[in-house]
Amino acid sequence: MKKLICALLALSLALAMTACGGKQPTETTAPAANIEGTMEELLNKVIEQRPVEFAGGVFPIDLTDTSEDGMWSIKSFTGLEDVSMLTEAAAYEPMMGSLAFSMVMVRTAAGADPKAVAEAMKSGVDPRKWICVEADDMKVAGVGDVVMLIMVSTTGDMTAQSFVDAFQTVAGRNCDFVI
């Protein structure tokens, strides 16, 4: 009797597994996968990977604020005057003090070229936006549809490259580009 019950359980398990199997997905040659998560979440993960020695905070950048102040803020953080190629943006900056540090992440819109967005960000952002201090190390890196701009004043081991390395760790792969 026990053998019969074991055989029936094994058979039902085998049938259940084949019923749940389903069709295998076909392989496609899709572009590199995008990183999941909001820009705020990704910035926090980068900071977890590469901690900073100051109190900072992550905040979203309102891409819909087309007022003069809103556009000034967008330009100050991203270096961009046209945000139609973005769907989301956030920044991580010091809460107080005169530290030259800014890390910004943007998600590019469908059809936008992330590398072109990155180049526009790098050429448009002001490394002296803090007036009394200046970032002397800047990199812009991209993975999928996410672009990260990092500006720092190099002190000790705090370099733009160290944050690019942390971004790659969070993404789980190498950057598509670093400029």
Side-chain angles (χ1 to χ4, degrees), residues 25-45:
T26 57
E27 286 188 36
T28 60
T29 55
N34 295 323
I35 308 172
E36 292 187 24
T38 66
M39 297 303 93
E40 293 97 331
E41 292 168 343
L42 294 175
L43 283 167
N44 279 318
K45 288 179 181 179

Side-chain angles (χ1 to χ4, degrees), residues 61-62 65-77:
I61 299 169
D62 184 1
D65 185 354
T66 58
S67 70
E68 186 176 336
D69 287 342
M71 293 307 294
W72 177 87
S73 179
I74 291 168
K75 170 82 172 154
S76 174
F77 289 113

Side-chain angles (χ1 to χ4, degrees), residues 43 57-63 69-81 83 86 89-94 99 101-106 117-118 120-127 129-130 138-140 147-151:
L43 283 167
V58 173
F59 53 91
I61 299 169
D62 184 1
L63 300 176
D69 287 342
M71 293 307 294
W72 177 87
S73 179
I74 291 168
K75 170 82 172 154
S76 174
F77 289 113
T78 68
L80 301 172
E81 293 183 24
V83 294
L86 304 180
Y92 182 95
E93 291 204 344
L99 296 170
F101 182 95
S102 182
M103 185 167 45
V104 177
M105 280 194 187
V106 301
V117 170
M121 289 174 72
K122 188 168 185 178
S123 66
V125 75
D126 182 5
K129 71 179 189 172
W130 302 276
M138 179 187 341
K139 292 200 183 289
V140 186
V147 175
M148 179 186 79
L149 166 81
I150 177 72
M151 296 191 298

Side-chain angles (χ1 to χ4, degrees), residues 133-146:
V133 294
E134 178 176 3
D136 61 353
D137 190 10
M138 179 187 341
K139 292 200 183 289
V140 186
V143 175
D145 64 349
V146 176

